[in-house]
Amino acid sequence: MEKVTLHSKKLHIRKTGVVTDINLYTTIGEAGNSALAVKDGRTTVYAKLGLPTDSLASPLRVRKSGNTYAVLTATAEPVSTPLFAYTLSNEYLNHGVVGAIYGDRYASPTTFTVQANKIIYLNGEAAVFGFLQGTNSRLVLSQYTGSSINLRPNKIIDPFAANWSPPLTEQTWNDVANLHAITAKDPWLCATSYDLSRIAVVNMNNNYQEVRSYQFPTAWPAISLPATARSHGERLTIVGNYLYALFTVNTEGQTTPYSNSFVVKLLFDRAAGMLMYMKHLEVGKNALTLEHFNNKLYICCIGGSQKEGNSNPETCLDIIDLATFTKTTVLKSAGMNGNISSITIADKEHAYIFMGNYDADYTNMIGGVYHTTIANIIEPVFWSKVLDVNNSGRFWGVYNDSNHLWFARGKSIEIFPSLPVGPASSVKSFNLTNLGMSEGDIKSVSRIL
């Protein structure tokens, strides 16, 4: 087992003249999911919590949920924990399941395992989304019904629990049909609906009940769309005191044609759980991501509808500088194929972008995954291809767990031995059978925070 890589700084506690050093970890999973969150500038890091009688207990004590815990000087030997959750659907879209991939993020992915079918008897449109409630890792498991009225309750799950059923609670959010994204900052969770194009605000401390919602664009008169337009909630993220929301727009109310997408900046009053419009910015057509890194948002824009045989000429990567709320548009270099569809950023040296489009008969996705640094992300000529893509499936995306690149390749999930900077091969691949179904498709993938 590899040695745990720690945060670059330690927490120092002085008591009766004795200084105790406490290791800090970059994710809550590394700290074992029971942790004290600490701010190092703008970065949140975590110290492990344990019993006051633990041999690794420091003098520092904290109260949590009415109990007293010790801040431990370090974690014990790393153990296998849930890293990613996923949902599957059969080919008829009438049955789905949820499962998880487990491992030690500091070990080789060859040791990673699957616990399939954590919950079965889901419908064929189940999707999973990870978030933090304070320092506790949580999942929302939604089941889209195709209706904006007859909704199924969302299941709130503790992914570190041995059994995911029954869930911690179940709650219906009336303004969220076809959940597409969530983001949370205690005690509030915000969710957006593709079908209804709304942002719902949920009180996590009151059994996850919805308390209010905001309709795009009518809640914010500064945004004007044609009367025929139909909009869709796509992504959300909270940075500091602001919520950023991404919406796509079809100008004629159908799935085509697309017009520019919108990123809306909202002041988040956490005392009341209210959102106040600040400004908005138009970005590319059919935007799919809202990746935050170092006070910038990275938005992959397909450039229109997903088409067979070729990519869209307007596909791009829009980068919003949150300090000025202005954008930089990045276009593909000559020879690059596919729509810019997915991005994940592990650190300033490791960003990955997936580009692809379906072939002429809509069978295979053709494209590739590229590596770049943040310094070079605006210059695609310096990007390097990590792998080629030419296979079937309906779900695609790049992810990371800080130490490994993950790729949802249509009907499989592949994990690489590191964060590659050039051509690479995965060392672990989970196909549909491994994940829990003999046929069908991956429907969603979410990192467990």
Short mmCIF file of all heavy atoms in Angstrom, two decimals, residues 134-181:
data_model
loop_
_atom_site.label_atom_id
_atom_site.label_comp_id
_atom_site.label_asym_id
_atom_site.label_seq_id
_atom_site.Cartn_x
_atom_site.Cartn_y
_atom_site.Cartn_z
N GLY A 134 -22.22 19.50 5.90
CA GLY A 134 -21.16 19.74 6.87
C GLY A 134 -19.93 18.96 6.45
O GLY A 134 -19.40 19.15 5.36
N THR A 135 -19.48 18.05 7.30
CA THR A 135 -18.34 17.19 6.96
C THR A 135 -18.79 15.77 6.61
O THR A 135 -17.95 14.89 6.45
CB THR A 135 -17.35 17.14 8.13
OG1 THR A 135 -18.01 16.65 9.30
CG2 THR A 135 -16.78 18.52 8.42
N ASN A 136 -20.09 15.56 6.49
CA ASN A 136 -20.62 14.24 6.21
C ASN A 136 -20.90 14.06 4.72
O ASN A 136 -21.59 14.89 4.10
CB ASN A 136 -21.90 13.99 7.00
CG ASN A 136 -21.65 13.94 8.49
OD1 ASN A 136 -20.73 13.26 8.95
ND2 ASN A 136 -22.45 14.66 9.26
N SER A 137 -20.38 13.00 4.17
CA SER A 137 -20.61 12.69 2.76
C SER A 137 -22.03 12.17 2.58
O SER A 137 -22.53 11.35 3.36
CB SER A 137 -19.61 11.63 2.29
OG SER A 137 -19.81 11.33 0.93
N ARG A 138 -22.69 12.65 1.53
CA ARG A 138 -24.06 12.25 1.24
C ARG A 138 -24.24 12.07 -0.27
O ARG A 138 -23.49 12.61 -1.08
CB ARG A 138 -25.06 13.31 1.73
CG ARG A 138 -25.07 13.48 3.26
CD ARG A 138 -25.72 12.29 3.93
NE ARG A 138 -25.81 12.46 5.39
CZ ARG A 138 -24.99 11.89 6.25
NH1 ARG A 138 -23.97 11.16 5.80
NH2 ARG A 138 -25.16 12.06 7.55
N LEU A 139 -25.28 11.31 -0.62
CA LEU A 139 -25.71 11.15 -2.01
C LEU A 139 -27.19 11.45 -2.11
O LEU A 139 -27.96 11.15 -1.19
CB LEU A 139 -25.48 9.72 -2.51
CG LEU A 139 -24.04 9.21 -2.62
CD1 LEU A 139 -24.05 7.72 -2.96
CD2 LEU A 139 -23.27 9.98 -3.68
N VAL A 140 -27.59 12.07 -3.23
CA VAL A 140 -28.99 12.13 -3.61
C VAL A 140 -29.19 11.13 -4.75
O VAL A 140 -28.48 11.18 -5.75
CB VAL A 140 -29.41 13.53 -4.09
CG1 VAL A 140 -30.85 13.51 -4.62
CG2 VAL A 140 -29.30 14.54 -2.97
N LEU A 141 -30.16 10.24 -4.58
CA LEU A 141 -30.53 9.31 -5.63
C LEU A 141 -31.92 9.71 -6.13
O LEU A 141 -32.90 9.64 -5.39
CB LEU A 141 -30.55 7.87 -5.10
CG LEU A 141 -31.02 6.79 -6.08
CD1 LEU A 141 -30.09 6.70 -7.29
CD2 LEU A 141 -31.11 5.44 -5.39
N SER A 142 -31.99 10.17 -7.38
CA SER A 142 -33.25 10.62 -7.95
C SER A 142 -33.74 9.62 -8.99
O SER A 142 -32.95 8.86 -9.56
CB SER A 142 -33.09 12.00 -8.60
OG SER A 142 -32.29 11.91 -9.77
N GLN A 143 -35.04 9.64 -9.24
CA GLN A 143 -35.64 8.78 -10.26
C GLN A 143 -36.60 9.62 -11.11
O GLN A 143 -37.69 9.96 -10.65
CB GLN A 143 -36.38 7.60 -9.63
CG GLN A 143 -35.48 6.66 -8.85
CD GLN A 143 -36.23 5.49 -8.27
OE1 GLN A 143 -36.54 4.52 -8.97
NE2 GLN A 143 -36.55 5.56 -6.99
N TYR A 144 -36.16 9.96 -12.31
CA TYR A 144 -36.96 10.78 -13.21
C TYR A 144 -38.15 9.98 -13.74
O TYR A 144 -38.00 8.83 -14.16
CB TYR A 144 -36.09 11.26 -14.36
CG TYR A 144 -36.79 12.10 -15.39
CD1 TYR A 144 -37.61 13.15 -15.02
CD2 TYR A 144 -36.60 11.86 -16.74
CE1 TYR A 144 -38.24 13.93 -15.97
CE2 TYR A 144 -37.21 12.64 -17.71
CZ TYR A 144 -38.04 13.68 -17.32
OH TYR A 144 -38.66 14.45 -18.27
N THR A 145 -39.33 10.60 -13.72
CA THR A 145 -40.56 9.91 -14.15
C THR A 145 -41.06 10.36 -15.50
O THR A 145 -42.01 9.79 -16.03
CB THR A 145 -41.68 10.14 -13.13
OG1 THR A 145 -41.99 11.54 -13.09
CG2 THR A 145 -41.26 9.67 -11.73
N GLY A 146 -40.44 11.41 -16.08
CA GLY A 146 -40.96 11.97 -17.31
C GLY A 146 -42.10 12.94 -17.09
O GLY A 146 -42.64 13.50 -18.04
N SER A 147 -42.47 13.14 -15.84
CA SER A 147 -43.57 14.03 -15.49
C SER A 147 -43.05 15.14 -14.60
O SER A 147 -42.10 14.95 -13.83
CB SER A 147 -44.68 13.27 -14.77
OG SER A 147 -45.62 14.15 -14.19
N SER A 148 -43.67 16.32 -14.70
CA SER A 148 -43.32 17.41 -13.80
C SER A 148 -44.26 17.48 -12.60
O SER A 148 -44.13 18.36 -11.76
CB SER A 148 -43.37 18.75 -14.56
OG SER A 148 -44.68 18.98 -15.05
N ILE A 149 -45.20 16.52 -12.52
CA ILE A 149 -46.19 16.51 -11.44
C ILE A 149 -46.09 15.24 -10.61
O ILE A 149 -46.02 15.28 -9.38
CB ILE A 149 -47.62 16.65 -12.02
CG1 ILE A 149 -47.75 17.97 -12.79
CG2 ILE A 149 -48.65 16.58 -10.89
CD1 ILE A 149 -49.06 18.12 -13.51
N ASN A 150 -46.08 14.10 -11.28
CA ASN A 150 -46.01 12.81 -10.58
C ASN A 150 -44.55 12.44 -10.35
O ASN A 150 -43.93 11.78 -11.18
CB ASN A 150 -46.74 11.73 -11.38
CG ASN A 150 -48.20 12.05 -11.57
OD1 ASN A 150 -48.88 12.46 -10.63
ND2 ASN A 150 -48.71 11.88 -12.79
N LEU A 151 -44.02 12.88 -9.23
CA LEU A 151 -42.60 12.73 -8.93
C LEU A 151 -42.35 11.62 -7.93
O LEU A 151 -43.19 11.34 -7.08
CB LEU A 151 -42.05 14.05 -8.36
CG LEU A 151 -42.30 15.31 -9.19
CD1 LEU A 151 -41.75 16.52 -8.45
CD2 LEU A 151 -41.70 15.19 -10.57
N ARG A 152 -41.18 10.99 -8.04
CA ARG A 152 -40.75 10.02 -7.03
C ARG A 152 -39.86 10.72 -6.01
O ARG A 152 -39.07 11.60 -6.36
CB ARG A 152 -39.97 8.88 -7.68
CG ARG A 152 -40.82 7.95 -8.53
CD ARG A 152 -40.08 6.66 -8.80
NE ARG A 152 -40.89 5.73 -9.56
CZ ARG A 152 -40.59 4.46 -9.74
NH1 ARG A 152 -39.47 3.96 -9.21
NH2 ARG A 152 -41.38 3.67 -10.45
N PRO A 153 -39.97 10.33 -4.73
CA PRO A 153 -39.12 10.97 -3.72
C PRO A 153 -37.63 10.72 -3.98
O PRO A 153 -37.24 9.66 -4.47
CB PRO A 153 -39.56 10.30 -2.41
CG PRO A 153 -40.90 9.71 -2.70
CD PRO A 153 -40.88 9.35 -4.16
N ASN A 154 -36.82 11.71 -3.66
CA ASN A 154 -35.37 11.56 -3.72
C ASN A 154 -34.88 10.84 -2.47
O ASN A 154 -35.33 11.14 -1.36
CB ASN A 154 -34.71 12.94 -3.81
CG ASN A 154 -35.12 13.70 -5.04
OD1 ASN A 154 -34.81 13.31 -6.15
ND2 ASN A 154 -35.85 14.79 -4.84
N LYS A 155 -33.98 9.90 -2.66
CA LYS A 155 -33.41 9.16 -1.53
C LYS A 155 -32.10 9.83 -1.10
O LYS A 155 -31.22 10.05 -1.93
CB LYS A 155 -33.13 7.71 -1.93
CG LYS A 155 -34.37 6.93 -2.38
CD LYS A 155 -33.99 5.52 -2.82
CE LYS A 155 -35.18 4.77 -3.42
NZ LYS A 155 -36.21 4.49 -2.43
N ILE A 156 -31.98 10.16 0.16
CA ILE A 156 -30.75 10.73 0.72
C ILE A 156 -29.98 9.59 1.38
O ILE A 156 -30.49 8.93 2.30
CB ILE A 156 -31.04 11.84 1.73
CG1 ILE A 156 -32.03 12.86 1.14
CG2 ILE A 156 -29.74 12.51 2.15
CD1 ILE A 156 -31.55 13.54 -0.12
N ILE A 157 -28.73 9.37 0.94
CA ILE A 157 -27.97 8.17 1.31
C ILE A 157 -26.66 8.56 1.97
O ILE A 157 -25.99 9.52 1.55
CB ILE A 157 -27.69 7.33 0.04
CG1 ILE A 157 -29.00 6.80 -0.55
CG2 ILE A 157 -26.73 6.18 0.34
CD1 ILE A 157 -28.84 6.23 -1.94
N ASP A 158 -26.28 7.83 3.00
CA ASP A 158 -24.93 7.89 3.56
C ASP A 158 -24.09 6.86 2.80
O ASP A 158 -24.24 5.65 3.00
CB ASP A 158 -24.95 7.55 5.05
CG ASP A 158 -23.55 7.48 5.66
OD1 ASP A 158 -22.56 7.71 4.93
OD2 ASP A 158 -23.45 7.20 6.86
N PRO A 159 -23.18 7.29 1.91
CA PRO A 159 -22.44 6.32 1.08
C PRO A 159 -21.44 5.49 1.87
O PRO A 159 -20.95 4.48 1.35
CB PRO A 159 -21.74 7.21 0.05
CG PRO A 159 -21.59 8.52 0.72
CD PRO A 159 -22.81 8.67 1.58
N PHE A 160 -21.13 5.88 3.11
CA PHE A 160 -20.21 5.11 3.93
C PHE A 160 -20.93 4.07 4.78
O PHE A 160 -20.29 3.27 5.45
CB PHE A 160 -19.38 6.04 4.81
CG PHE A 160 -18.29 6.75 4.05
CD1 PHE A 160 -18.58 7.85 3.26
CD2 PHE A 160 -16.98 6.31 4.12
CE1 PHE A 160 -17.59 8.50 2.56
CE2 PHE A 160 -15.97 6.96 3.41
CZ PHE A 160 -16.28 8.06 2.63
N ALA A 161 -22.26 4.07 4.74
CA ALA A 161 -23.03 3.05 5.46
C ALA A 161 -22.92 1.72 4.73
O ALA A 161 -22.85 1.67 3.49
CB ALA A 161 -24.49 3.47 5.58
N ALA A 162 -22.93 0.65 5.47
CA ALA A 162 -22.84 -0.67 4.85
C ALA A 162 -24.04 -0.93 3.94
O ALA A 162 -23.90 -1.49 2.86
CB ALA A 162 -22.74 -1.75 5.93
N ASN A 163 -25.22 -0.54 4.42
CA ASN A 163 -26.44 -0.72 3.64
C ASN A 163 -27.00 0.63 3.24
O ASN A 163 -27.15 1.53 4.08
CB ASN A 163 -27.48 -1.51 4.45
CG ASN A 163 -27.00 -2.90 4.79
OD1 ASN A 163 -26.47 -3.62 3.95
ND2 ASN A 163 -27.16 -3.29 6.05
N TRP A 164 -27.33 0.79 1.97
CA TRP A 164 -27.88 2.03 1.47
C TRP A 164 -29.41 2.05 1.50
O TRP A 164 -30.03 3.07 1.19
CB TRP A 164 -27.41 2.28 0.04
CG TRP A 164 -25.95 2.63 -0.05
CD1 TRP A 164 -25.01 2.56 0.95
CD2 TRP A 164 -25.26 3.11 -1.20
NE1 TRP A 164 -23.79 2.96 0.49
CE2 TRP A 164 -23.91 3.31 -0.83
CE3 TRP A 164 -25.65 3.39 -2.50
CZ2 TRP A 164 -22.96 3.78 -1.73
CZ3 TRP A 164 -24.71 3.85 -3.40
CH2 TRP A 164 -23.37 4.05 -3.03
N SER A 165 -29.98 0.93 1.83
CA SER A 165 -31.44 0.84 1.91
C SER A 165 -31.82 0.21 3.25
O SER A 165 -31.29 -0.84 3.61
CB SER A 165 -31.99 -0.01 0.76
OG SER A 165 -33.39 -0.04 0.78
N PRO A 166 -32.70 0.88 4.03
CA PRO A 166 -33.39 2.13 3.68
C PRO A 166 -32.45 3.32 3.72
O PRO A 166 -31.44 3.30 4.44
CB PRO A 166 -34.46 2.23 4.76
CG PRO A 166 -33.86 1.53 5.94
CD PRO A 166 -33.08 0.38 5.38
N PRO A 167 -32.79 4.38 2.97
CA PRO A 167 -31.96 5.58 2.98
C PRO A 167 -32.12 6.35 4.28
O PRO A 167 -32.97 6.01 5.12
CB PRO A 167 -32.49 6.37 1.79
CG PRO A 167 -33.93 5.95 1.69
CD PRO A 167 -33.95 4.50 2.07
N LEU A 168 -31.33 7.39 4.45
CA LEU A 168 -31.45 8.24 5.63
C LEU A 168 -32.82 8.89 5.70
O LEU A 168 -33.42 9.01 6.76
CB LEU A 168 -30.36 9.32 5.63
CG LEU A 168 -28.91 8.84 5.71
CD1 LEU A 168 -27.96 10.01 5.56
CD2 LEU A 168 -28.67 8.11 7.03
N THR A 169 -33.30 9.32 4.55
CA THR A 169 -34.64 9.90 4.44
C THR A 169 -35.02 9.92 2.97
O THR A 169 -34.18 9.69 2.09
CB THR A 169 -34.71 11.31 5.04
OG1 THR A 169 -36.07 11.74 5.11
CG2 THR A 169 -33.92 12.30 4.21
N GLU A 170 -36.28 10.21 2.69
CA GLU A 170 -36.76 10.40 1.33
C GLU A 170 -37.59 11.67 1.29
O GLU A 170 -38.36 11.94 2.21
CB GLU A 170 -37.60 9.20 0.87
CG GLU A 170 -36.82 7.91 0.80
CD GLU A 170 -37.59 6.78 0.11
OE1 GLU A 170 -37.98 6.98 -1.06
OE2 GLU A 170 -37.80 5.75 0.75
N GLN A 171 -37.41 12.45 0.22
CA GLN A 171 -38.11 13.72 0.15
C GLN A 171 -38.38 14.09 -1.31
O GLN A 171 -37.51 13.93 -2.17
CB GLN A 171 -37.27 14.81 0.80
CG GLN A 171 -38.00 16.11 1.07
CD GLN A 171 -39.14 15.94 2.06
OE1 GLN A 171 -40.29 15.97 1.66
NE2 GLN A 171 -38.82 15.74 3.34
N THR A 172 -39.59 14.56 -1.57
CA THR A 172 -39.96 15.04 -2.90
C THR A 172 -39.78 16.55 -2.95
O THR A 172 -40.25 17.27 -2.06
CB THR A 172 -41.42 14.69 -3.22
OG1 THR A 172 -41.57 13.26 -3.19
CG2 THR A 172 -41.80 15.19 -4.61
N TRP A 173 -39.09 17.02 -3.99
CA TRP A 173 -38.93 18.45 -4.22
C TRP A 173 -39.78 18.82 -5.43
O TRP A 173 -39.46 18.48 -6.57
CB TRP A 173 -37.46 18.79 -4.46
CG TRP A 173 -36.58 18.37 -3.33
CD1 TRP A 173 -36.90 18.34 -1.99
CD2 TRP A 173 -35.22 17.88 -3.41
NE1 TRP A 173 -35.84 17.88 -1.25
CE2 TRP A 173 -34.79 17.59 -2.08
CE3 TRP A 173 -34.33 17.69 -4.46
CZ2 TRP A 173 -33.52 17.11 -1.80
CZ3 TRP A 173 -33.07 17.21 -4.18
CH2 TRP A 173 -32.66 16.92 -2.86
N ASN A 174 -40.88 19.50 -5.19
CA ASN A 174 -41.88 19.73 -6.23
C ASN A 174 -41.38 20.58 -7.39
O ASN A 174 -41.94 20.52 -8.48
CB ASN A 174 -43.12 20.40 -5.62
CG ASN A 174 -43.89 19.46 -4.70
OD1 ASN A 174 -43.92 18.25 -4.92
ND2 ASN A 174 -44.48 19.99 -3.65
N ASP A 175 -40.31 21.35 -7.16
CA ASP A 175 -39.79 22.20 -8.23
C ASP A 175 -38.58 21.59 -8.92
O ASP A 175 -37.86 22.28 -9.65
CB ASP A 175 -39.43 23.57 -7.65
CG ASP A 175 -40.67 24.35 -7.25
OD1 ASP A 175 -41.40 24.80 -8.15
OD2 ASP A 175 -40.93 24.46 -6.04
N VAL A 176 -38.36 20.31 -8.68
CA VAL A 176 -37.22 19.62 -9.31
C VAL A 176 -37.73 18.35 -9.98
O VAL A 176 -37.88 17.31 -9.34
CB VAL A 176 -36.13 19.28 -8.28
CG1 VAL A 176 -34.94 18.63 -8.97
CG2 VAL A 176 -35.69 20.52 -7.52
N ALA A 177 -38.03 18.46 -11.27
CA ALA A 177 -38.35 17.30 -12.08
C ALA A 177 -37.19 17.08 -13.04
O ALA A 177 -36.80 17.99 -13.77
CB ALA A 177 -39.64 17.53 -12.87
N ASN A 178 -36.61 15.89 -13.03
CA ASN A 178 -35.41 15.58 -13.80
C ASN A 178 -34.22 16.32 -13.23
O ASN A 178 -33.63 17.21 -13.86
CB ASN A 178 -35.61 15.92 -15.29
CG ASN A 178 -34.58 15.23 -16.18
OD1 ASN A 178 -33.74 14.48 -15.71
ND2 ASN A 178 -34.67 15.50 -17.47
N LEU A 179 -33.85 15.95 -12.01
CA LEU A 179 -32.72 16.55 -11.30
C LEU A 179 -31.45 16.44 -12.15
O LEU A 179 -31.11 15.36 -12.63
CB LEU A 179 -32.52 15.84 -9.96
CG LEU A 179 -31.35 16.27 -9.09
CD1 LEU A 179 -31.51 17.73 -8.67
CD2 LEU A 179 -31.23 15.37 -7.87
N HIS A 180 -30.76 17.57 -12.31
CA HIS A 180 -29.54 17.58 -13.12
C HIS A 180 -28.30 17.97 -12.33
O HIS A 180 -27.19 17.68 -12.76
CB HIS A 180 -29.70 18.50 -14.33
CG HIS A 180 -29.91 17.75 -15.60
ND1 HIS A 180 -29.34 18.11 -16.80
CD2 HIS A 180 -30.64 16.64 -15.86
CE1 HIS A 180 -29.71 17.26 -17.74
NE2 HIS A 180 -30.50 16.36 -17.20
N ALA A 181 -28.46 18.68 -11.20
CA ALA A 181 -27.28 19.10 -10.44
C ALA A 181 -27.69 19.53 -9.05
O ALA A 181 -28.81 20.02 -8.84
CB ALA A 181 -26.56 20.25 -11.15
#
